[in-house]
Amino acid sequence: MDVIVLGLMLLSLTIWLGLLCFWGQFWRTDQQLEVTETQLQSLPVVCAVVPARNEAELIPTSLRSLLLQDYPGSFNVFLVDDRSTDRTANFAEGVAHAVGKPQQLHIITGESLPPGWSGKLWAVEQGIKSASKLAPDYFLLTDADIEHDPANLRRLVAKAVQEDLDLVSVMVRLRCESFWEKLLIPAFVFFFQKLYPFRWVNNPNNPTAAAAGGSILIAREALERIGGIQVIRKALIDDCALAQAVKKSRGDKENTPFPMPNAPYPMPNQGRIWLGLSSLTRSLRPYDSLATIWDMVARTAYTQLNYSPLLLLGTLVGMPLIYLVPPVCVILGAVWSNWAIALTGLFGWLLMALAYYPTIRFYKCSPWLAFSLPAIAFLYTLMTLDSALRHWQGRGGAWKGRVYTNPDNL
């Protein structure tokens, strides 16, 4: 038994060493929009598109932050009222008048959801169609629960223009106030970065692509090049689907594939994307209970696995191997007085905590929470399993009163 346990621990330790050394430095938090202040040399026309469904509680704060952006160029906001029943549009109109910018806000009454579309993307499609009449250079795709820092748009545009990017996105600072938020929300960001290492996303020679839906600035030319929002109309994880479409499109005009790692970038301004963290723009959405966080993760976790039972099985085996084996070995090694197992397990646990610590520090949580990652990973594993169960029961992808049991048949 000792040999088996030690073997599992060595395997777990090997995986962690591989992740830390060769997996895109996913654990770092240095890819931040606000790291360097940039100045705009040109002033592109920008239109924000905000899908809103029953957001009367949050829209006064989020919309106010959008209308009060310090961006000096032409900027308009197109809010799509997605058949709300709580007077979202009325609140939005009141906010625009309160800040003295009613001319910048365009409220669109959403049409009925047609077959083949997810609700959010159908709202975004309607907003883009209306905003296109102003011939914007960029669209800012954002959610109705995001409070933007006053300089957020200016930074996004400067980043896009100066680095010749087609898409710039930031994972906004998620709310982290309650006990459950402090325990589980930083880990959500950590796992996302492990799945999509930001350095790989931002490398034009790496096919890894991702974005964060709360704040995406995309060039109109890039959106047209991929065929518009309709190409991802069924996607439940729409932000990453959009980023993948943009990044893959860079060789479409000449049918050129992704270059080899050391090859020169083939086509400037084709499919270049950037993803980072924001310390100032934040989400207003509260997740102050285990149930709300559980539902948030379970809504799309199985979608992330492409609805594959095989990938689900790999997750159910891999997560315990990576995250649970080290602390279990510490306990078993101490009980059995086998210090080789205990010390190896402790070393693996320390590596895990060191990897998680930068995210904990970014969210200003207690450093001791870095050692709680095994328990957190166990909960996320259960959420993933529940996500699969919900899908099989026809309850998957539920959001805002809509359930998407099978995106292929939307």
Side-chain angles (χ1 to χ4, degrees), residues 21-237:
C21 295
F22 305 108
W23 201 251
Q25 300 183 45
F26 73 94
W27 40 272
R28 301 186 64 174
T29 58
D30 58 342
Q31 302 291 296
Q32 294 186 35
L33 184 66
E34 297 92 357
V35 168
T36 57
E37 186 67 25
T38 52
Q39 299 297 322
L40 284 169
Q41 300 301 319
S42 61
L43 298 174
V45 176
V46 182
C47 288
V49 176
V50 187
R53 180 174 171 86
N54 293 330
E55 296 286 7
E57 182 179 355
L58 301 179
I59 206 68
T61 302
S62 62
L63 183 58
R64 180 185 177 87
S65 72
L66 264 181
L67 292 173
L68 294 180
Q69 288 293 294
D70 65 6
Y71 182 65
S74 175
F75 177 54
N76 286 269
V77 178
F78 289 77
L79 185 140
V80 184
D81 181 20
D82 186 12
R83 308 181 75 80
S84 300
T85 58
D86 65 352
R87 301 177 67 230
T88 291
N90 298 92
F91 279 92
E93 187 175 2
V95 170
H97 282 281
V99 299
K101 295 191 175 183
Q103 72 282 356
Q104 280 186 241
L105 177 64
H106 309 265
I107 298 177
I108 302 163
T109 300
E111 299 175 4
S112 299
L113 180 64
W117 287 82
S118 72
K120 175 184 175 181
L121 291 177
W122 174 236
V124 171
E125 168 71 6
Q126 295 173 78
I128 288 176
K129 183 177 180 180
S130 294
S132 294
K133 298 174 183 177
L134 299 182
D137 299 293
Y138 293 93
F139 294 105
L140 174 63
L141 308 182
T142 185
D143 293 336
D145 60 356
I146 303 300
E147 183 179 15
H148 295 262
D149 177 73
N152 187 50
L153 178 59
R154 177 165 49 84
R155 293 191 185 102
L156 288 169
V157 173
K159 184 81 172 176
V161 171
Q162 294 178 4
E163 298 186 21
D164 208 13
L165 301 168
D166 280 333
L167 184 150
V168 180
S169 177
V170 287
M171 174 167 279
V172 302
R173 191 179 189 89
L174 303 180
R175 210 185 86 140
C176 194
E177 299 176 9
S178 69
F179 167 79
W180 288 109
E181 287 170 335
K182 291 178 180 178
L183 180 66
L184 296 175
I185 290 301
F188 179 84
V189 178
F190 178 79
F191 291 141
F192 184 86
Q193 288 185 273
K194 192 174 75 161
L195 192 61
Y196 303 104
F198 287 5
R199 287 173 177 263
W200 286 0
V201 171
N202 300 340
N203 180 357
N205 292 323
N206 190 303
T208 304
S215 184
I216 296 177
L217 184 78
I218 183 170
R220 176 169 58 89
E221 184 275 332
L223 188 60
E224 292 174 351
R225 187 174 70 240
I226 67 173
I229 288 295
Q230 64 176 352
V231 301
I232 61 166
R233 62 188 180 276
K234 297 181 181 181
L236 297 187
I237 307 179

Side-chain angles (χ1 to χ4, degrees), residues 247-264:
K247 197 167 190 181
K248 288 180 180 179
S249 73
R250 63 176 167 184
D252 285 355
K253 289 186 178 180
E254 297 181 0
N255 295 317
T256 54
F258 280 106
M260 297 300 292
N262 295 324

